[in-house]
Amino acid sequence: MSLKPLPGRLPVVAGILLMTASFSCAAATVRGVSDTEIVIGTITDLSGVTAVQGVNNSDAVRMAFDEANENGGVNGRKIKYIVEDNQYQVPRAVQAMNKLLNNDNIFATIDDGGTPMNDANMPAQFAKNVPNMFPLTAARSMYEPYNRLKFGQFASYYDQMRAAVKFFAEKKGRKSFCVTYQDSDFGKDVLAGVVAETGALGMKVVETTAHRPTDTDFNAPMSKLRDAGCDVVMMGTIVRDTNIIIQTARKMNWDVDMVGQFASYDTAVASLPGGATEGFYCMTPALYAYPDDPRPAVQEFAKKYKARYGRDPNFHGEVGYTAAHLVLLGLQRAGKDLTVDSFIAGIESIHEYKDIFGAELSFGPEQHHGSARSFLTVVKDGRWVPVEDAALGY
């Protein structure tokens, strides 16, 4: 006896097959990915107090993606790259993330700028299963606590400052450490590193001052630190505030050692007119390769960048170029059947990757922090020069 379907209804087997097919299509649908395209976004500062970093960085990312697209893309897909301006303001960053997630349907972000902005955006981003790749900040929160969707590129501000404190205490005999920092997640990470290492060495931070990213008058804070008897000032500052603080101290005839970190390691600091920043120290997770570097690959990158954008790349342009190539390699290793899981596996398969500028990065399962190395540099004749060739530890 055979069963016949009721009029107007699908046969049971056919209905099950259709349901299975619909579930398969749903499973195969990955946000931000089509047969021909992968949508990747960046939220960074294009017009605010850190624009010198955000613009150079995102321009280098775009150049790397365009180069890949000109060569056919990745596994047959082109990169669609969308950049939003956060002006180094959290509300604007949140608004931009909402656009990228809900309007542009991005697959991932890369080089999102600013510690407070990333911290504010990651919960919404991760709720949509969107990876945060190599943000333009060295805060520990970019890779701690572990989350399968976040990958950090740099040694943290915390580690950079701990290594610097140890060096200046043991190699230069400094005993009175002070800190001036932005009153933000970024600045507090710098402060935490100084507090931790001075404590480990049996010392205490003598004095601190905190300021907003937009502040421009540092006469009172610098007077406070000078009067406290600081013999070295550790700085949780970026570019504009770094330059103003150093100029303020010099005008006061206060010749104290000052030490910055990744966020202040910029040619706009080293080449400040008048040589005000001469002798300023800075920790960095990688060394800037100037356009006149003898390595052919560096020269070719600098030449192409300047021809396209009309200016030399700065350090943050170089790290953006590297970040883009890491993402491209991860996408390539993910294969044609691209998913978030296959992309993460692709990134985790990258070991001892050496970029054209000399940095080395490694990843792995539950190892989403590319490097813990940091170097001490100093401004000499308007250029960044390594103090020691070896990376510093603590």
Side-chain angles (χ1 to χ4, degrees), residues 44-45 88 91 106 149 183 233 245 257 284 300 313 351 367-368:
T44 195
D45 187 358
Y88 204 72
I106 56 170
L149 294 173
D183 190 10
V233 178
I245 286 171
D257 285 336
T284 174
E300 179 64 17
H351 309 304
Q367 170 53 37
H368 288 190

Side-chain angles (χ1 to χ4, degrees), residues 3-16 18:
L3 292 175
K4 294 183 179 181
L6 293 174
R9 297 189 180 182
L10 289 170
V12 174
V13 174
I16 291 173
L18 281 173

